[in-house]
Amino acid sequence: MEYFLQQLINGLTLGAVYALIAIGYTMVYGIIGMINFAHGEIYMIGAFIAVITFSILGIVGITWVPLALLIVLIVSMIITGLYGWTVERIAYRPLRGSFRLAPLISAIGMSIFLQNYVQIAQGAKIKPLQPMIRGGIELMKGETFSVTISYLQMIIMAMTLALMIGFSYLISATPLGRAQRACEQDRMMASLLGVNADRTISLTFVLGAVLAAVAGVMVSLYYGVVDFYIGFLAGLKAFTAAVLGGIGSLPGAMLGGLLIGLIEAFWSAYFSIEYKDVAVFTILVVVLIFRPTGLLGRPEVEKV
Amino acid sequence: MTQPLLRVEHLTMRFGGLIAVNDVSFDAHEGQITAVIGPNGAGKTTVFNCIAGFYKPTVGRLTLTRNATPYLLERMPGNDIAGKARVARTFQNIRLFPKMTVLENLIVAQHNKLMRASGFTLLGLFGWPGYGKAEAEAVDLARYWLDRTNLTDVADEVAGSLPYGGQRRLEIARAMCTEPVLLCLDEPAAGLNPRESADLNTLLRFIRDEHKTGVLLIEHDMSVVMQISDHVIVLDYGRKIADGTPDVVRNDPKVIAAYLGEPEDSAAVQGVV
Amino acid sequence: MTAAERLKDAIMAAGVAALLALPLIGFETVDTGGPLGIKTRFDYIAYAAIAVFLGRLGMRIALDWRRNYRESLADKLDPVDAVKHKSVLSDLGRKADKWLMPALIGFAIIMPFLPFANRTVIDLGTVVLIYVMLGWGLNIVVGLAGLLDLGYVAFYAVGAYTFALLSMHFGFGFWETLPLAGLLAATFGVVLGFPVLRLRGDYLAIVTLGFGEIIRVILLNWQPVTGGPAGISGIPRPSFFGFPFAADPPEGTTSFHQLFGLEFASLHRIIFLYYLILALALITNIFTMRIRKLPVGRAWEALREDEIACTALGINPTNTKLTAFAIGAMFGGFAGSFFAARQGFISPESFSFIESAVILAIVVLGGMGSQAGIVLAAAFLTLLPEVAREFSLFRMLAFGAAMVLIMVWRPQGLLAHREPTMRLHPAGTKPGGGTP
């Protein structure tokens, strides 16, 4: 029982991170109907910027945790957002209206490029980060096992929750969100009505990248290590989360992320840790077979 | 009495809360041109998409009778409707294979026949002579329709390079290469100039008279409809409001109301519908 | 664009580049044992900004020049001819397939007997041919059927491990295993493709990406069967149709050199392997050329163009796509069993995502559909890192960038062109008595 609870906490933490990344996939899919394969790498870049900024702050002597965390978050969000913007400008925008495979190939090219760019610039070795936020609360004390929730886990969950609420508000109640939803429905009509579709799409990429940056900061703190390869698997899992929740649906991405985090944690705990990625992938295929629209997605009606 | 070629019974199609087609029934016959007309948003294309299998109707039965065998279209996947029941269609926004040549477009249309002739690829791979013969016959059929649609000269051009009118004709030729019993045309005259429109009428009459193929067409252009149709069905707001020969339909007050807006005193007529 | 506008645009681009480069290039993390140390390399940021500035300026000038050129061309040509005005590159691709292919095949056949051919050259030739075969195999899936397969290497791995396991544990020979490996790879393709090919094309891409990773995870962790990270070694080498390549053949068998009355030389096997992969690659090529002219091949191309129109013509899209996917997987399996037989040793390391990416890059750069283009791209991508060792670090970086640039500039592929699969009027004549 205690073990179960502990895995629940771990799974929710992991799921929060996946959910943040999954939103980027789902928003881009919603607005331009493509899978942004480079999104996992954007998250990896966010994590790297976090590690580098933390290290610089440590050297210049800013070690008060709340301040350091705030600075790192801001720096990582800004620069990663800029990366998201640049990727869209270079690799996707010129391809609108090109043939079907072109944006996908371009995206996979971008993903390969970014991965190797970071590898060359920062080296292939794993980058460690000193634990900064220690300790936690013991929730329950069992005979052999006690359930704890660390402060860091609490921060991750609180942060994700706050971002999700803020984000839902942004999409449902601001002009930007309205423009975004309009472009999702009919980009041509939206631009005829004065919505700047190009700018809205750019902003979508930036927002996705900003959320991925937050996920990157959290992960670098949580695991204490990053390397240039983390974006690949995290991207795959977050995409699975987006599909499970129903691609194109924001609440779906959040729900899917949490579910994938839980599945991964419980699978690792009760079955085998080696095959946790296989389990997640199997879910992707099973969802695609039985419910391609996901849990909260709406069926696409193709116009002919 | 013989079965009609296509019998549509109580067809209803809902999208979420919207009822696009509401309890529509009609027949289409072999060797006749049946037109479905109606103002924008009347549900014409939805009826079409149900017949061609792109949508599954919410309620209703669609029976196609070919060689005295009934096919229940609402239960078949789209490719079987074309391949087994032999219903061919064209699209409102032309859908050719733009990078393939005109001839190749027509050969792809004979896919199922050629697949069997090539022993599902295995025999064809080793140059089985029977396949060569089948392919030559396919080219002959293609050439027949190229001649009818005036495209023989451009047969080796890429389909995407044809002018608009040529693409429309090619789409009809391609549909006919599937040797259909029912040809469904989604606004075939849209975007054609008067001369091309007249040629289209000739072609459709030829298909009806020489091939005994039933033609079902959606059209906005009333001149086309009234000139060539044997039978007209009028839809408005998803319901059938008239059904008959062009002359009968033309003088039907409900149709006039639907097209011209209702004069104040025709509210009673609308109420009946 | 005026000169001032161009300059402003280039300065903006350089500014963005500098900002992007600041954290990742400007600072380098160094391991010090404890917390990470930081070294600065601000000069690199300046280089990056300058490079982007010049590149952007050059691009703007080139684009404006091209537009002016096209406009002047459009004035000269009447609109009908302008549509037919063929691009220089696709003409080049057409010529390459017509003239270069026979020349390349001829060269490949006599290559081992040319004066410069030593062991290293022949080995290198074998590697290039493996990639040519993989490129041609993947081209069936991506180029003809328009399906994006990002895990092609998984089928290569299935072929390699099938070969290794069957020959190690059951004593199967190369020629018995080859079809089995292909068949098994195709079966994997069907099992994976069936659920996914009903859906939109993008899902196939991500599922194959995941599948490639999963196969690798299984190979790494299923110790008793796959040997885990250590892989499988001591795989029997293929024999010359039953005559082994051995200095001292076992009792009762004749070795290759005895059969032909030659002096024993280890080079014989290398040459034999070279011809083996050449033959396999050519079979792939001939198969592709033939199947393009059969109904299923035409249906693949038609599906790539418009799936809905195909359905309306009675073509079953799922089954048709499935055949392309499975046949592509089968050729991957063939190549995999050759790889295992040649190396005598396989491990999961040889089947990482990078390999899939390289094969895809070969297909994309070569021009989807152009068989000769794929040969050139395979030779270029495998030989370049050999020639310029220092380049190998930047290899994947350049591949990724090239894939993006080609999609932006010429999405149909560098040398892409399409030869009709049949003609009504013989080539070179124009109907209606006109001249070509």
Side-chain angles (χ1 to χ4, degrees):
Chain A
M1 181 62 200
E2 287 82 13
Y3 189 59
F4 176 86
L5 269 179
Q6 186 65 58
Q7 292 311 324
L8 188 69
I9 292 170
N10 295 348
L12 284 175
T13 315
L14 199 59
V17 171
Y18 290 147
L20 284 175
I21 310 174
I23 289 176
Y25 278 109
T26 227
M27 274 198 315
V28 166
Y29 191 93
I31 200 161
I32 54 175
M34 69 163 280
I35 301 173
N36 178 10
F37 282 110
H39 191 60
E41 314 310 329
I42 293 285
Y43 148 81
M44 178 269 293
I45 284 176
F48 257 88
I49 292 173
V51 167
I52 290 168
T53 319
F54 270 127
S55 305
I56 295 172
L57 290 178
I59 289 168
V60 296
I62 301 175
T63 49
W64 187 51
V65 172
L67 181 65
L69 189 60
L70 189 69
I71 294 176
V72 167
L73 272 173
I74 290 171
V75 169
S76 181
M77 282 159 85
I78 290 174
I79 308 240
T80 313
L82 194 60
Y83 268 97
W85 180 82
T86 313
V87 165
E88 195 269 333
R89 276 308 285 267
I90 293 178
Y92 306 142
R93 188 177 296 181
L95 292 175
R96 281 196 209 133
S98 190
F99 81 121
R100 201 167 42 81
L101 284 189
L104 288 174
I105 293 175
S106 180
I108 199 81
M110 202 49 168
S111 161
I112 295 169
F113 176 84
L114 289 175
Q115 216 180 78
N116 285 276
Y117 159 71
V118 173
Q119 187 191 355
I120 291 168
Q122 296 292 331
K125 273 204 221 130
I126 289 176
K127 303 285 165 197
L129 187 70
Q130 300 297 308
M132 301 178 57
I133 304 166
R134 293 159 200 271
I137 302 170
E138 200 163 279
L139 292 177
M140 204 200 261
K141 201 163 171 65
E143 280 165 29
T144 52
F145 196 90
S146 54
V147 183
T148 54
I149 177 165
S150 69
Y151 292 129
L152 186 56
Q153 286 177 322
M154 288 161 69
I155 292 176
I156 292 177
M157 285 188 228
M159 186 97 181
T160 307
L161 196 68
L163 276 171
M164 300 276 178
I165 292 169
F167 203 76
S168 305
Y169 173 77
L170 185 78
I171 294 297
S172 61
T174 63
L176 167 65
R178 258 197 302 283
Q180 217 232 359
R181 281 178 290 140
C183 287
E184 244 173 64
Q185 304 249 321
D186 189 337
R187 196 185 318 147
M188 179 71 101
M189 197 61 219
S191 37
L192 287 176
L193 294 173
V195 174
N196 186 337
D198 275 345
R199 201 173 63 196
T200 312
I201 293 172
S202 276
L203 268 167
T204 306
F205 274 83
V206 171
L207 283 175
V210 165
L211 292 180
V214 177
V217 174
M218 296 300 155
V219 159
S220 62
L221 283 170
Y222 191 54
Y223 289 123
V225 284
V226 296
D227 66 53
F228 73 96
Y229 204 64
I230 57 170
F232 182 80
L233 263 186
L236 205 57
K237 286 180 192 163
F239 178 78
T240 304
V243 172
L244 176 63
I247 194 140
S249 147
L250 275 180
M254 302 177 195
L255 179 68
L258 289 179
L259 285 175
I260 292 292
L262 287 172
I263 289 163
E264 196 181 322
F266 284 118
W267 186 278
S268 308
Y270 292 104
F271 299 100
S272 71
I273 192 152
E274 290 89 5
Y275 290 109
K276 65 180 182 356
D277 301 340
V278 180
V280 171
F281 175 73
T282 311
I283 287 168
L284 174 62
V285 174
V286 169
V287 171
L288 288 179
I289 296 174
F290 294 106
R291 204 178 154 82
T293 52
L295 296 174
L296 303 180
R298 273 161 311 181
E300 286 176 46
V301 177
E302 189 141 19
K303 291 232 169 72
V304 284
Chain B
M1 190 192 148
T2 55
Q3 273 285 316
L5 181 59
L6 173 74
R7 167 156 281 174
V8 175
E9 292 163 291
H10 307 294
L11 178 68
T12 300
M13 183 77 205
R14 280 196 199 94
F15 295 106
L18 179 82
I19 301 177
V21 177
N22 194 355
D23 196 20
V24 169
S25 306
F26 65 88
D27 291 343
H29 294 273
E30 188 185 302
Q32 279 197 5
I33 296 177
T34 308
V36 179
I37 63 170
N40 278 327
K44 306 183 296 283
T45 299
T46 308
V47 169
F48 246 53
N49 283 333
C50 288
I51 294 171
F54 285 89
Y55 298 153
K56 290 285 156 247
T58 319
V59 181
R61 166 171 284 192
L62 304 157
T63 320
L64 185 115
T65 311
R66 179 165 77 89
N67 296 339
T69 315
Y71 293 87
L72 296 179
L73 301 186
E74 78 277 7
R75 299 191 188 162
M76 295 165 76
N79 57 302
D80 280 348
I81 291 177
K84 297 208 173 104
R86 300 285 171 119
V87 177
R89 74 167 291 181
T90 65
F91 296 87
Q92 201 169 342
N93 318 313
I94 306 173
R95 280 176 173 267
L96 294 169
F97 307 121
K99 285 184 191 147
M100 300 176 88
T101 66
V102 169
L103 177 64
E104 284 174 315
N105 267 273
L106 301 185
I107 299 296
V108 169
Q110 303 175 53
H111 176 78
N112 288 328
K113 189 172 69 184
L114 289 173
M115 258 326 248
R116 280 191 293 276
S118 73
F120 296 93
T121 310
L122 287 173
L123 295 173
L125 217 47
F126 298 104
W128 192 56
Y131 174 67
K133 201 169 142 262
E135 198 183 67
E137 283 167 13
V139 173
D140 285 344
L141 181 64
R143 186 193 278 274
Y144 175 84
W145 284 110
L146 285 171
D147 288 343
R148 294 296 165 288
T149 49
N150 242 332
L151 291 169
T152 316
D153 283 358
V154 289
D156 295 325
E157 299 287 335
V158 214
S161 73
L162 294 187
Y164 188 80
Q167 297 198 9
R168 279 250 176 251
R169 291 203 303 278
L170 176 56
E171 217 191 5
I172 295 176
R174 189 179 67 180
M176 286 313 291
C177 276
T178 64
E179 298 166 85
V181 292
L182 179 67
L183 174 67
C184 301
L185 303 169
D186 198 345
E187 300 206 13
L192 298 188
N193 64 35
R195 230 204 79 207
E196 289 172 324
S197 213
D199 288 347
L200 176 74
N201 289 356
T202 317
L203 178 64
L204 293 184
R205 285 201 189 99
F206 173 81
I207 289 170
R208 172 190 66 186
D209 299 338
E210 299 299 314
H211 288 266
K212 300 290 173 221
T213 306
V215 178
L216 184 68
L217 79 133
I218 293 182
E219 192 47 74
H220 261 135
D221 186 338
M222 293 305 275
S223 68
V224 173
V225 172
M226 293 305 163
Q227 277 172 33
I228 64 168
S229 307
D230 302 300
H231 177 185
V232 178
I233 290 134
V234 190
L235 297 184
D236 192 23
Y237 295 108
R239 285 177 172 278
K240 185 169 89 173
I241 57 172
D243 185 344
T245 62
D247 279 331
V248 171
V249 166
R250 201 191 329 244
N251 299 319
D252 190 316
K254 281 175 286 183
V255 178
I256 296 167
Y259 268 88
L260 301 176
E262 42 193 275
E264 274 155 46
D265 60 351
S266 75
V269 183
Q270 284 290 315
V272 178
V273 184
Chain C
M1 248 186 199
T2 64
E5 275 170 340
R6 275 185 212 144
L7 205 63
K8 197 177 141 205
D9 176 73
I11 291 172
M12 292 267 285
V16 171
L19 249 168
L20 291 179
L22 177 67
L24 286 173
I25 295 181
F27 299 98
E28 188 187 9
T29 50
V30 234
D31 291 308
T32 57
L36 284 174
I38 291 284
K39 275 201 305 207
T40 58
R41 319 176 271 202
F42 292 138
D43 46 338
Y44 280 41
I45 299 180
Y47 301 149
I50 292 169
V52 168
F53 174 78
L54 293 176
R56 182 83 184 182
L57 201 61
M59 187 192 94
R60 280 283 166 217
I61 292 171
L63 282 180
D64 288 348
W65 179 82
R66 190 175 74 170
R67 204 181 48 229
N68 288 338
Y69 173 76
R70 288 216 170 137
E71 272 164 13
S72 71
L73 206 66
D75 287 342
K76 270 181 253 161
L77 296 170
D78 69 88
V80 180
D81 281 344
V83 172
K84 290 180 190 160
H85 188 74
K86 302 262 163 53
S87 110
V88 182
L89 277 171
S90 68
D91 245 14
L92 210 63
R94 183 167 295 115
K95 288 200 182 102
D97 268 358
K98 200 164 172 196
W99 304 109
L100 195 61
M101 265 306 269
L104 283 172
I105 293 172
F107 174 76
I109 290 172
I110 57 166
M111 199 278 275
F113 300 105
L114 294 177
F116 62 83
N118 55 24
R119 201 191 166 104
T120 324
V121 171
I122 298 174
D123 262 340
L124 216 53
T126 311
V127 172
V128 171
L129 283 172
I130 292 180
Y131 279 103
V132 168
M133 175 164 181
L134 288 170
W136 279 343
L138 183 61
N139 185 42
I140 296 175
V141 185
V142 179
L144 283 184
L147 306 167
L148 188 54
D149 183 348
L150 297 178
Y152 195 58
V153 82
F155 303 115
Y156 187 50
V158 168
Y161 274 83
T162 308
F163 179 81
L165 294 172
L166 286 180
S167 61
M168 299 266 301
H169 298 309
F170 302 100
F172 278 44
F174 179 78
W175 296 105
E176 293 108 73
T177 324
L178 191 70
L180 287 177
L183 206 65
L184 197 67
T187 311
F188 267 84
V190 169
V191 170
L192 185 70
F194 188 71
V196 184
L197 286 170
R198 294 176 303 138
L199 305 168
R200 288 186 40 147
D202 325 27
Y203 285 118
L204 180 74
I206 196 109
V207 167
T208 48
L209 185 73
F211 179 63
E213 186 62 19
I214 290 324
I215 286 280
R216 210 176 59 84
V217 169
I218 292 175
L219 294 181
L220 274 173
N221 292 303
W222 199 11
Q223 290 271 1
V225 176
T226 65
I232 301 174
S233 53
I235 302 165
R237 303 304 183 91
S239 60
F240 185 78
F241 305 101
F243 303 100
F245 294 90
D248 307 301
E251 204 62 30
T253 57
T254 318
S255 84
F256 176 77
H257 67 281
Q258 288 164 337
L259 180 70
F260 288 93
L262 299 166
E263 199 65 20
F264 173 77
S266 61
L267 196 60
H268 289 156
R269 187 175 62 221
I270 309 285
I271 295 178
F272 170 67
L273 286 171
Y274 173 85
Y275 279 118
L276 190 57
I277 184 68
L278 180 61
L280 286 174
L282 285 180
I283 289 172
T284 316
N285 183 36
I286 293 166
F287 179 89
T288 310
M289 301 317 272
R290 281 205 76 105
I291 207 157
R292 262 198 76 208
K293 302 193 178 199
L294 287 175
V296 72
R298 287 200 196 96
W300 290 342
E301 291 196 74
L303 272 173
R304 182 189 64 195
E305 306 265 297
D306 194 327
E307 194 172 324
I308 288 177
C310 279
T311 313
L313 297 174
I315 298 173
N316 183 327
T318 313
N319 291 355
T320 309
K321 284 192 274 186
L322 204 55
T323 52
F325 195 65
I327 287 172
M330 180 182 76
F331 283 113
F334 288 154
S337 36
F338 172 81
F339 176 77
R342 170 178 180 261
Q343 302 289 106
F345 161 74
I346 47 171
S347 74
E349 223 174 282
S350 312
F351 307 104
S352 62
F353 169 67
I354 297 293
E355 288 297 311
S356 289
V358 169
I359 304 165
L360 182 67
I362 288 172
V363 175
V364 171
L365 304 192
M368 285 167 264
S370 164
Q371 298 290 90
I374 286 173
V375 178
L376 295 180
F380 182 72
L381 293 194
T382 39
L383 294 182
L384 197 62
E386 296 289 334
V387 178
R389 281 277 163 202
E390 61 274 28
F391 176 75
S392 67
L393 178 64
F394 294 94
R395 187 171 84 129
M396 292 314 294
L397 188 78
F399 288 2
M403 280 164 86
V404 175
L405 286 180
I406 289 203
M407 284 303 112
V408 172
W409 177 47
R410 241 185 106 69
Q412 64 274 55
L414 211 48
L415 291 180
H417 72 96
R418 188 181 174 276
E419 210 47 49
T421 58
M422 57 164 40
R423 288 180 164 277
L424 194 63
H425 315 290
T429 61
K430 226 177 179 175
T435 44

